[in-house]
Amino acid sequence: YKVPLDPQGLLELSWNVSYPQQIVYFQILIRDLRFGLLFGMSDRGEFENADLAVLWSDGRSSYFGDAWSDGKGRLHMDSQQDYQLLRARRAPEGLYLLFRRAFSTCDPKDYVIEDGTVHLIYGILEKPVHSLQAINISAIHRGLQRVQLLKPNITVPELPSDMKTMEITAPDVVIPSQETTYWCYVAELPDSFPKHHIIMYEPVVTAGNEALVHHMEVFQCASEFDSFPHYNGPCDSKMKPERLNYCRHVLAAWAMGAQAFYYPKEAGLAFGGPGSSRYLRLEIHYHNPLVFQGRRDSSGIRLYYTATLRRYDAGIMELGLVYTPVMAIPPGEDAFVLTGYCTDKCTQLALPAAGIRIFASQLHTHLAGRKVVTVLSRDGRERQVVNADGHYSPHFQEIRMLKEVVAVFPGDELITTCTYNTEDRSHATVGGFGILEEMCVNYVHYYPQTQLELCKSAVDLGYLRRYFNLVNRFNDEEVCTCPQVSVPQQFFSVPWNTFNRDVLKSLYGFAPISVHCNKSSALRFPGEWEKQPLPIITERLREPVPHCPPTSGSQPAAPIPLNLSELQR
Amino acid sequence: YKVPLDPQGLLELSWNVSYPQQIVYFQILIRDLRFGLLFGMSDRGEFENADLAVLWSDGRSSYFGDAWSDGKGRLHMDSQQDYQLLRARRAPEGLYLLFRRAFSTCDPKDYVIEDGTVHLIYGILEKPVHSLQAINISAIHRGLQRVQLLKPNITVPELPSDMKTMEITAPDVVIPSQETTYWCYVAELPDSFPKHHIIMYEPVVTAGNEALVHHMEVFQCASEFDSFPHYNGPCDSKMKPERLNYCRHVLAAWAMGAQAFYYPKEAGLAFGGPGSSRYLRLEIHYHNPLVFQGRRDSSGIRLYYTATLRRYDAGIMELGLVYTPVMAIPPGEDAFVLTGYCTDKCTQLALPAAGIRIFASQLHTHLAGRKVVTVLSRDGRERQVVNADGHYSPHFQEIRMLKEVVAVFPGDELITTCTYNTEDRSHATVGGFGILEEMCVNYVHYYPQTQLELCKSAVDLGYLRRYFNLVNRFNDEEVCTCPQVSVPQQFFSVPWNTFNRDVLKSLYGFAPISVHCNKSSALRFPGEWEKQPLPIITERLREPVPHCPPTSGSQPAAPIPLNLSELQR
């Protein structure tokens, strides 16, 4: 796996994962080595309380060591050296550093490498330093890169001989000289293109732009419209035709650090044929913090498809919370939790007796999201994590293949929990489509496709009204609970304090829910879906016990001298 | 320190504490050794999940080992042997086993010996067993004894040469042949006995009754009455004069395992003189589970006092919760927490500028109490634990000398938190005097005496009424909140569920309090004490990090063979 660390492409990270050893092997290519490098991991990309491998030089000698930074960003040598240097090698393109690190070291100062997003941080030392402690972490050239380090170890399915490819790429776009651009381009399938199965896709990134192309998605447009305008420009431009908002069905999605996406050998994603739009929308997020000017780009996604349809059509299902303001997060919270339920009643009705297989998942929240997890529960007992990201970032949403395919049967429950941080907000954040509203969604990719497009929940509105009533009566201040006022306005007027916060939390953990068990036509399956009881969980999954490497494997707490000047020559 | 383990006195435990080494040295005298002994510790005296030292014999060979019992009471050898046998010695009176154990072993299967109550358990093997695993823990003769293992290491103050003693003892009582008896006896001080200082007291236990005399207290009667009847009989007898209920001012208290109680050298407890009753009430709790008949007892307490008054009178102050039904515990809770506050405003008004020194503490709850702790907070930051018992038992309430005298200054806050278990109850437990109602009290012993007799709190009644209102409106069932109904009746009618429980918890953590900042005359200090804000804590005390002994000190996981048959000879 390979990813550029900095936007200039001076640092390039490659890595390998050994699951039997529970070790990650890192290789960093430093193109223009000055006086050293910091590389490491932290909870959300901050340089405080980070776990770091440091290469530093005082001008004569060079050293490598495992370090950590405290809450004030001061560096300390780690008592247990868990970043283990394997090799430093000079090549024409730069210096290669090869080192390894166990997933979990059981050193309390160390970061635990888990499934999901890892925030990698780097810093470049441009002056000699006489010791680790002398490094002023706030004064160096530094940055962060998000990746999924622990990619699943999937065996690539055999690809058919009649496989064809189609590139959906930007037509020689000049990347705008601004930090963030979402570029939109409409492509069209050939006339009377029959139904095919997409069985794999991979990124096509223009050479030299690896550090600028942050993520890309291909959407299929709605089949209700016969044609869509051939737009090519920024997605937020006033010139963008309204109709492009109807191109929202995900065909493919890639984010930095991801590789090719393979469908399981039994399934493919249908596109083409009757009842399917010929129009596709490519969306590219360019991340250009150094504001390069005039860079040209033709990146995009290469689809691999076959006319020999596989046994099953793959489908995408939405789990989590309904997009409604009744689910809200009080302001000033560091970790407020909301949960959406796909109930046993819905899966009982909508899933085939043989069940479905979930093989990939894309987690989604807006800006306040910090963690997302979906758990499968059967007969009240949590059985399996479908997908979890404890370091989730709304800026890094990729479709992830699951390590293990998850089988879901009629009567199972899928419980999606999101954790939010609203410390920087002064009013409640309600659910909704706006960027400052919130979502809690897991788009699961599965087969065989069913009619169930959406299985989500929200608290019962009647119980929420009782909450507003209660807040009104309990607090001395007046809260407007007049029924003509909207739910967001009612949340806006709540005088937030620990009591109102705690009671909202208790309400969400107690009140019955409204379940959305919907077909793709946005119609509910027949049945009673209002005032449903919350699923009862009698047995939780246990926290995994960290697997610690034998202590003899780690090295003593002393930096390793390197002949860097020789390597720099 | 010494305590009998069983009511027959077959097992006698002596122990020593080494604070520098963080080790307890145990010696058990086994008077009539059969085929072995279990001795150990567990959270609340249960034989499941216990930490045990086991001596067992298969009839020929004998073994000693460190073991643990699982949730089903099955015994397992511990992987780390932390009960270390030092010696086994035969004497005319029986076999002496000497072994030691670190306070904290860092073995997750081991009990951590903390300040406060420790529940010791013992079992006697009456048949040979061929292995540890073969011991059926539910079929053996077994029992429990509560002690404070970690007695404070106090240097005994010098005692004056004019010191006199006075024994308040039961007059040759025949211990009733029933499990539990509280015996009441009224004693009288000599006519015109002037003011003295009690500077020490110790138990006087009739030889042979060491295992029956559970605890004893001496109370001074109220000075409002000129005389009290000379009663001598059970405290719960119908014949007990009503007036004895006015003898409640504690002069001295002792419980099994406790030693002499010393006042600090600057202070003594005043008794005698004008304004002080000449009548004392001795209360003895006899614990006679084997229902011995006709045992005679003259136990009691020996007071050491002096006419040369020390610099300060000592005082006793009540901290915690007011005795009122507004503080209640829902049914079915395994660890519900209630907190009582002695606020900065009260200490500001009532304490002298030089502060007071707390040197001893007696924790008190009724039957549902499981933990009690009082913390000193200053400027919103928790500074010091005054007294804590994480294995508190309502059946073992002794006055404990503190390891460290705690200085309390005007403006300090004293926060007392009690944890209750109501899993066996089906209705709310309200605060009050009844044995099935609850209390949360810490009687602190301090000097110099002030007018502040009581510094406690309870939730504001108006806010509690809003809670009942809210429960009424929120739940579909009807709850009677008519104002003519009493608070206990209102709590009784709450339909308990997670929401009503959580909201009550939130209420207690949010609503303003009524502060009782009272003089000994039961009058409040002047000021506004209703609807006071809860103290704000910005910094909590950290949990102590367990100090683990070097692992080299512990022995391999194998039982140690003993030549027990030779020792039995």
Side-chain angles (χ1 to χ4, degrees), chain B residues 392-466:
Chain B
Y392 173 83
S393 166
H395 305 293
F396 190 60
Q397 305 186 9
E398 43 177 5
I399 301 180
R400 288 180 182 152
M401 287 181 274
L402 302 185
K403 274 184 182 169
E404 243 180 299
V405 169
V406 177
V408 184
F409 296 99
D412 287 356
E413 288 159 334
L414 291 161
I415 302 174
T416 302
T417 300
C418 294
T419 305
Y420 300 94
N421 184 306
T422 57
E423 285 178 298
D424 57 347
R425 302 188 181 186
S426 52
H427 288 285
T429 300
V430 297
F433 290 94
I435 190 65
L436 288 173
E437 297 173 330
E438 269 304 335
M439 292 191 172
C440 176
V441 186
N442 185 353
Y443 298 95
V444 292
H445 295 241
Y446 71 96
Y447 68 89
Q449 192 170 26
T450 69
Q451 285 203 288
L452 185 63
E453 176 112 340
L454 191 152
C455 187
K456 312 205 289 189
S457 75
V459 71
D460 175 76
L461 181 61
Y463 273 76
L464 184 69
R465 294 223 183 279
R466 292 187 198 182

Side-chain angles (χ1 to χ4, degrees), chain B residues 38 41-43 46-52 54 67-78 108-110 121 132-133 135-138 142:
Chain B
L38 275 67
M41 303 175 275
S42 67
D43 181 30
E46 60 287 4
F47 279 76
E48 296 78 30
N49 301 312
D51 181 4
L52 293 160
V54 186
W68 55 278
S69 66
D70 61 25
K72 293 183 170 153
R74 283 178 303 232
L75 291 186
H76 305 273
M77 203 67 191
D78 219 334
K109 298 283 182 214
D110 280 356
I121 54 179
L132 186 75
Q133 289 74 22
I135 298 174
N136 180 356
I137 211 166
S138 60
R142 65 188 203 177

Side-chain angles (χ1 to χ4, degrees), chain A residues 463 466-467 469-470 473-476 497-500 502-503 505-507 509-511, chain B residues 463 466-467 469-470 473-476 497-500 502-503 505-507 509-511:
Chain A
Y463 272 77
R466 291 187 198 181
Y467 170 76
N469 230 304
L470 173 169
R473 293 174 169 276
F474 194 86
N475 294 269
D476 296 324
N497 55 40
T498 59
F499 183 75
N500 291 337
D502 286 354
V503 174
K505 213 185 263 186
S506 304
L507 179 88
F510 172 76
Chain B
Y463 273 76
R466 292 187 198 182
Y467 170 77
N469 230 303
L470 174 171
R473 293 175 167 274
F474 194 87
N475 293 270
D476 296 324
N497 56 39
T498 61
F499 184 75
N500 292 338
D502 286 354
V503 174
K505 214 187 261 187
S506 304
L507 179 89
F510 172 76

Side-chain angles (χ1 to χ4, degrees), chain B residues 22 103-106 112 543-549:
Chain B
Q22 301 267 298
F103 294 177
S104 164
T105 64
C106 295
V112 178
E543 289 287 310
V545 177
H547 168 98
C548 304

Side-chain angles (χ1 to χ4, degrees), chain A residues 200-214:
Chain A
M200 169 197 161
Y201 59 83
E202 62 184 10
V204 183
V205 179
T206 301
N209 291 347
E210 290 83 357
L212 300 177
V213 178
H214 186 271

Side-chain angles (χ1 to χ4, degrees), chain A residues 256-278:
Chain A
M256 215 178 235
Q259 286 193 302
F261 183 92
Y262 291 88
Y263 281 85
K265 61 180 192 301
E266 304 88 345
L269 186 65
F271 82 134
S276 147
S277 172
R278 292 201 298 116

Side-chain angles (χ1 to χ4, degrees), chain A residues 26 38-53 67-71 73 75 83 101 109-114 116-122 137 142-147 149 370 389-393:
Chain A
F26 293 101
L38 274 68
F39 168 79
M41 303 174 274
S42 67
D43 180 30
R44 307 200 61 78
E46 60 287 1
F47 280 77
E48 296 77 32
N49 301 313
D51 183 2
L52 293 160
W68 56 278
S69 66
D70 60 26
L75 292 185
Y83 282 106
R101 167 66 153 65
K109 297 285 182 211
D110 282 357
Y111 181 90
V112 178
I113 302 175
E114 293 169 313
T117 309
V118 176
H119 289 72
L120 301 177
I121 54 177
Y122 64 88
I137 212 166
R142 66 188 204 176
L144 101 89
Q145 178 66 291
R146 299 182 183 92
V147 297
L149 276 185
R370 295 293 178 271
D389 196 338
H391 305 274
Y392 173 84
S393 166

Side-chain angles (χ1 to χ4, degrees), chain A residues 2 21 50-52 54 89 121 143 161 163 169 261 270 286-287 298 304 366 424 458 465 471 493 501 505 508 534 554:
Chain A
K2 193 183 274 189
Q21 292 181 286
D51 183 2
L52 293 160
V54 186
R89 175 172 66 86
I121 54 177
S161 53
M163 188 172 69
T169 52
F261 183 92
Y286 293 112
H287 181 63
S298 303
Y304 291 75
H366 289 168
D424 58 346
R465 293 222 184 279
V471 163
S493 63
R501 186 261 320 262
K505 213 185 263 186
Y508 287 148
L534 285 184
S554 64

